[in-house]
Structure formats: structure tokens, C-alpha cells
Amino acid sequence: MTHRSDAVGLVLARPARMLGHEPFFGELIAGIEEVLATDDRSLLLHVVPTLDAEIAAYRRWAAGQMVDAVVVVNVVDDDPRIPVLAELGIPAVVVGGPRTGMVFSNVWIDDAQVSRDTVDYLVGLGHDRLARVSGPKALLHTRWRNDAFLERCAATGVEGVIVEGDYTEDSGKAAARLLLGRRGAPSAIVFDNDVMALAALAVAAEMGIEVPARLSLLAWDDSALCRLSNPPLSAMTLDVHGMGQQVGTCVLNTLADGPVRAHQATMQRLSARASTARPA
């Protein structure tokens, strides 16, 4: 693409109302924009309901030469977006995705190891009935987290169950009610984002289940919401802003004809707070 638009595109296939509730993408976008600004470029954000609509947006952008490159998030199995972008000749950087075999540069997270770390932490506290509320199963990183969670539970001899969510408050509440209302309810639950974990905290209060005396809660995607909740939520902390800066640097390198490379994001670390403790 010889025409320079000075714009880099990011299409999010998700309900627009969720953007106001999820700090993750705000931090990611801020990090990307910070780096793009050093080359007088800006980020063009477009929210659509489906992957098909996302692909249609790429075709419009290519036809109108509206962006110089795109950032792709939420990779799925046999992701249809990747071959379309290659066909259109739009340079791309992928956030997540497999460590190897990508035709575009990507910034990846070792989701499997982090998932194992959550199990080890909770088992170390003495929990033997664990549950995990995941994001959509179609996402590759969800599958990696799920597989590692179940494998680690089996290896350490504890019970592990998974309920699928969609990152929203409603799904967090529904999953919590489902898990806590059954015989042999888990003594610890791991959630795939902060919003679902906070929703579960509210459900536990409604049901008279004290956190952390009777139930430990742990969230992925640490945020101010986790730190300010009552009790403060334990979380797996990722430098999302720093990862956004990595993505922005990859975009500029790609536009400068740099080689296709996989870059590992900084490992997440456990921030243990008052929502997790030894089981009563």
C-alpha cells in the first residue's frame, strides 16, 4: 500500500456497551496510541457486532485506502480474518494468537502458564474445589486457559469445573449463582475478567456467602475496579498499557518493512488481596 493515511485500524467485534465497562481495551488502546503518535499516526477504532462485519470493515478500508495497517485482537481457531488481510495486502499485527506459525507479527501472552499459576496459588492456600468462569470458548486464549486449568487441577488432585461466560456483568452473576447454588460448591472461583468477578462478589453478598471466609474470588485483567472493591479482589496483573506500547512498536516496525516476529508480553503476576484466603 503506497498511499499513507496516517491511520492504523482496530476493529472490535463485541457489544459497544461493553467498552465502557472493560478497562482492558482502554489501557491497550492508550498504549498503542502513545507509540503511534511518535510517528504522527492515530488509531481508528471501529466497533462491530460480528467477525463477518469486521471482515467487511477491512474490505472497505482497503478499497478506500483508509488505514496503513490494522491491529487484530481476540483470535479464534482458523481465524478467517488473517487470510483476508493477507489477500487485501493490509499489514497487520495480532494481539494474542499462537506463538508460532503466524503470517503477521504478534504480541502473545503465555495464557496457559498463567492459568496454571492461578491453580497453584489456590491449591497452595488449601482449596480443593475450584471453578473457572471463562470468556467465550471460541477464543484461542480461552481454550488455552481452560485446558491448562483442567490439566493442573488433575495433576494436583483437586476438583475443577468450568462455566462459560461472555465478560459481562450478567454472565458473571449467572455463573456465580449456578456454581454456588449446587451441592459441593467450589470454595474458590477464577474469573476471566474483572467485571465478572465483581458481579460474583455481589452475588456472594446476596447469598450470604462471606468472601474470603467461605469463598475465594480471583480475577484476570487487574484494574482499579479490583483494587477499590470491598474486599479488594485478588487478580492476575498484566501491564496492559505496556503491552499496547509493544503492539504499537510492532505496527511501526511492520510499516517499516521489519521482519515478522512473535513478541512475548511481560508475564502476568499474581496480586494477592483480601478476596482470597485459606478455606474455612
Side-chain angles (χ1 to χ4, degrees):
M1 298 175 70
T2 56
H3 169 79
R4 172 164 168 159
S5 69
D6 292 332
V8 173
L10 171 61
V11 184
L12 296 179
R14 62 202 300 103
R17 63 183 172 82
M18 285 183 62
L19 290 182
H21 301 292
E22 277 194 306
F24 178 90
F25 279 108
E27 288 289 323
L28 183 73
I29 289 168
I32 296 172
E33 288 191 312
E34 189 173 297
V35 173
L36 295 183
T38 65
D39 195 38
D40 295 324
R41 296 179 187 272
S42 58
L43 191 68
L44 174 60
L45 176 64
H46 186 38
V47 182
V48 297
T50 65
L51 281 186
D52 287 342
E54 182 173 340
I55 290 171
Y58 293 148
R59 295 192 183 281
R60 289 195 305 274
W61 284 353
Q65 294 185 300
M66 296 174 63
V67 297
D68 299 324
V70 298
V71 175
V72 180
V73 298
N74 289 336
V75 182
V76 299
D77 263 328
D78 297 321
D79 200 304
R81 298 169 294 178
I82 305 303
V84 168
L85 289 168
E87 167 209 330
L88 294 172
I90 302 179
V93 169
V94 178
V95 181
R99 181 176 180 179
T100 59
M102 296 291 293
V103 297
F104 298 119
S105 287
N106 73 314
V107 176
W108 64 282
I109 303 170
D110 195 346
D111 285 285
Q113 183 56 53
V114 180
S115 193
R116 288 189 285 268
D117 290 345
T118 64
V119 173
D120 289 345
Y121 167 66
L122 293 170
V123 171
L125 287 176
H127 294 277
D128 58 7
R129 297 191 313 279
L130 309 184
R132 179 176 136 70
V133 179
S134 75
K137 291 180 181 177
L139 301 178
L140 274 182
H141 71 261
T142 299
R143 190 183 75 198
W144 294 330
R145 293 178 186 184
N146 285 351
D147 289 349
F149 174 83
L150 293 176
E151 288 166 7
R152 198 63 165 183
C153 285
T156 52
V158 302
E159 179 184 336
V161 63
I162 296 174
V163 174
E164 183 179 11
D166 64 4
Y167 302 129
T168 63
E169 177 184 350
D170 287 345
S171 74
K173 286 182 175 180
R177 290 189 178 109
L178 175 67
L179 289 166
L180 298 175
R182 62 178 57 174
R183 183 188 297 272
S187 62
I189 309 176
V190 180
F191 291 83
D192 252 3
N193 77 340
D194 48 357
V195 172
M196 292 194 296
L198 288 163
L201 188 59
V203 168
E206 290 169 6
M207 298 176 72
I209 300 173
E210 189 177 350
V211 175
R214 290 179 55 201
L215 174 68
S216 285
L217 299 178
L218 176 66
W220 290 60
D221 298 345
D222 194 9
S223 68
L225 299 177
C226 294
R227 297 187 291 273
L228 295 171
S229 67
N230 185 24
L233 278 171
S234 296
M236 300 308 293
T237 302
L238 171 67
D239 181 5
V240 181
H241 184 270
M243 186 172 71
Q245 291 175 316
Q246 275 187 286
V247 173
T249 300
C250 281
V251 170
L252 296 186
N253 290 344
T254 296
L255 291 171
D257 296 323
V260 172
R261 285 186 177 151
H263 304 265
Q264 184 176 3
T266 303
M267 281 294 291
Q268 299 196 27
R269 59 181 173 80
L270 176 68
S271 296
R273 301 189 182 108
S275 69
T276 49
R278 298 189 65 83

